Amino acid sequence: MGRFNILPNDIMLEILTRLPTESVLNCKLVCTTWNNLVHHHPSFSQLHLNRLLISDAYDSGKFRFIVLSRERGIIEMSYGEYDDDDCHDTLFSRITMINLSSPFVDYSFVGSCNGLVCFNALIEDEGGYIYLYGPAFICNPITREYIILPEYEGQYWWTGFSYILSTNEYKIVRVYESGGDSNVGIVEVYTLGSGTGWRNAGTMDFDMNNVTNRVGAFANGALHWADEKGTVVLAFHLADEKFSEIPSPPPCLRRADVPYIEYEMKLGVLGNFLSAAFYYDTGDCDILLLKKNKDNNEFSWSKEFSFGNKELTTEMTPVVLTKSGRLVYYGCGEIYSYDPETSSAKVDPWFGKSISQVIHHKNTLVSLKVLGEKDTKTMESSE
């Protein structure tokens, strides 16, 4: 280590920012010089993230998740890794408990971007009424940094969280009813580090009650919401903060033998594509992806999976489409991996806990404080 410390800071920076996140955490405990470089160099977290994203692009067979489980009113978070080439006996090659004490008792995922996780929260007012706080807090489970977002006591929230690569901005979106008989929704945006808080980004006119997925699915630079039948799909583009309507899944891709009233559709993201999962009362399911055509560069829907009720173990919420073609999904408290070649799904026990949510996640050192959030706090351990 003595010889390593005589290296110039820029050389040490080059070396440390190329290490896996967990290795960097160990290195900062070795000596004061390394600790200062990791914690106080203004570009360290961004350089480390940039190289991590490049590494992940070449290592597409490995996926990481954060899992939310609920047991007897207690919420727990765990971190898991899935290796497409090395998941035989179990689905996950590594499982780690995240022992952090949330500032809210009841919460759920909005989304995860570059290691930052955004949460919705439920809170109780003085009259005992439980309502959705909306986007409540953001944290990095690795650095334990977190911020609490300003509150608004609205109803029928739409929420979303994502990252704009071109501007290096993280944006949280919330849409709430304007009140009365109007369907007009008020759109507000919070940009991390901007110091402006929630900004009014205009309005949108749509029946906000007629939506199955309250959390927007992020793909192609926009957050997406749709009505429960998939007849209308709205996109909120984060760059210009404008709404537009995109082509909805055509009826020809839906099962012709299923009546209109006997199915519902939910949006998601698979392999960076916007996905639409159609759930039928028969227990069957179709999954469509919105892909760009090579010929005319326009987007169109294509059916990627079609499940019969004998093939599915439970109603699914898709999470990841692996490079081998397997579909990782969860439902009824379990996590599954579906192999289309054998038309079978394998369940992972996950400590026997009941799974309520799973999101794609990567461990990073992205700092809320470095991004400009002045009220950043450190979350305590729950142990």
Side-chain angles (χ1 to χ4, degrees):
M1 188 187 71
R3 293 183 178 181
F4 190 87
N5 274 339
I6 67 174
L7 293 173
N9 278 354
D10 57 343
I11 300 299
M12 288 195 288
L13 185 68
E14 282 289 317
I15 296 173
L16 291 176
T17 55
R18 295 176 187 274
L19 297 177
T21 303
E22 292 77 4
S23 298
V24 174
L25 294 178
N26 292 330
C27 286
K28 73 184 185 67
L29 301 176
V30 172
C31 64
T32 302
T33 302
W34 294 5
N35 183 71
N36 288 338
L37 194 62
V38 172
H39 278 294
H40 302 300
H41 193 285
S43 302
F44 188 92
S45 60
Q46 187 61 46
L47 287 172
H48 183 263
L49 173 64
N50 293 342
R51 285 165 178 163
L52 187 64
L53 293 176
I54 294 173
S55 174
D56 282 354
Y58 286 103
D59 190 20
S60 58
K62 294 183 179 180
F63 299 93
R64 292 117 181 140
F65 306 90
I66 285 187
V67 178
L68 203 66
S69 61
R70 298 174 185 267
E71 290 286 342
R72 299 180 179 88
I74 298 175
I75 302 177
E76 293 181 339
M77 285 193 297
S78 304
Y79 170 80
E81 293 184 356
Y82 175 98
D83 190 338
D84 207 22
D85 298 323
D86 189 31
C87 285
H88 305 292
D89 297 329
T90 62
L91 297 182
F92 297 92
S93 57
R94 176 183 173 191
I95 300 173
T96 307
M97 295 296 297
I98 301 175
N99 297 311
L100 297 177
S101 181
S102 166
F104 294 86
V105 175
D106 198 335
Y107 52 91
S108 60
F109 294 135
V110 175
S112 173
C113 298
N114 297 340
L116 299 179
V117 185
C118 182
F119 297 85
N120 281 329
L122 292 175
I123 62 176
E124 183 177 348
D125 62 16
E126 294 180 356
Y129 176 71
I130 304 296
Y131 67 94
L132 184 60
Y133 181 107
F137 68 103
I138 294 178
C139 81
N140 183 330
I142 287 293
T143 65
R144 296 167 55 192
E145 289 184 347
Y146 79 97
I147 60 168
I148 295 179
L149 298 168
E151 178 185 1
Y152 176 84
E153 296 182 11
Q155 294 182 354
Y156 303 111
W157 292 95
W158 292 6
T159 61
F161 173 55
S162 201
Y163 172 71
I164 308 173
L165 179 61
S166 60
T167 58
N168 191 33
E169 290 180 308
Y170 296 84
K171 290 186 177 182
I172 307 99
V173 178
R174 65 184 186 186
V175 186
Y176 59 92
E177 283 188 331
S178 56
D181 297 329
S182 173
N183 288 328
V184 173
I186 308 298
V187 185
E188 293 188 335
V189 177
Y190 187 106
T191 303
L192 287 180
S194 66
T196 59
W198 288 105
R199 295 181 290 103
N200 188 302
T203 62
M204 48 80 63
D205 191 2
F206 186 76
D207 187 356
M208 300 180 66
N209 295 285
N210 191 26
V211 173
T212 55
N213 53 304
R214 301 292 187 188
V215 176
F218 183 77
N220 307 316
L223 291 164
H224 298 81
W225 295 270
D227 66 341
E228 62 182 8
K229 299 301 180 184
T231 57
V232 177
V233 180
L234 296 177
F236 182 74
H237 305 274
L238 290 188
D240 61 8
E241 298 182 358
K242 301 294 183 182
F243 268 102
S244 70
E245 186 173 338
I246 68 170
S248 58
C252 62
L253 295 179
R254 180 174 59 81
R255 301 194 185 192
D257 58 338
V258 178
Y260 177 82
I261 61 173
E262 294 183 357
Y263 75 92
E264 68 173 351
M265 189 274 285
K266 293 182 181 180
L267 294 178
V269 178
L270 285 175
N272 296 322
F273 299 109
L274 184 66
S275 67
F278 285 84
Y279 303 100
Y280 306 102
D281 283 359
T282 57
D284 303 328
C285 176
D286 292 329
I287 297 179
L288 284 57
L289 297 182
L290 185 65
K291 295 183 175 181
K292 184 175 289 189
N293 298 324
K294 296 180 180 180
D295 298 332
N296 55 19
N297 212 34
E298 294 182 354
F299 288 93
S300 63
W301 292 94
S302 63
K303 186 182 293 187
E304 301 294 323
F305 291 94
S306 186
F307 302 95
N309 56 13
K310 293 182 180 179
E311 296 173 302
L312 288 181
T313 309
T314 180
E315 181 178 303
M316 61 166 63
T317 299
V319 181
V320 163
L321 183 62
T322 73
K323 68 176 183 179
S324 67
R326 294 186 179 93
L327 181 69
V328 177
Y329 68 95
Y330 68 95
C332 291
E334 304 283 4
I335 301 178
Y336 301 83
S337 174
Y338 177 81
D339 187 349
E341 293 186 0
T342 61
S343 298
S344 62
K346 182 170 64 175
V347 63
D348 189 274
W350 199 270
F351 298 125
K353 298 182 183 297
S354 179
I355 306 304
S356 59
Q357 272 187 293
V358 182
I359 57 171
H360 198 195
H361 175 82
K362 60 171 64 68
N363 283 338
T364 74
L365 298 170
V366 173
S367 169
L368 291 164
K369 186 178 296 184
V370 171
L371 288 174
E373 287 295 327
K374 296 180 180 179
D375 293 329
T376 299
K377 300 178 178 64
T378 300
M379 196 173 290
E380 297 180 358
S381 173
S382 59
E383 293 182 330

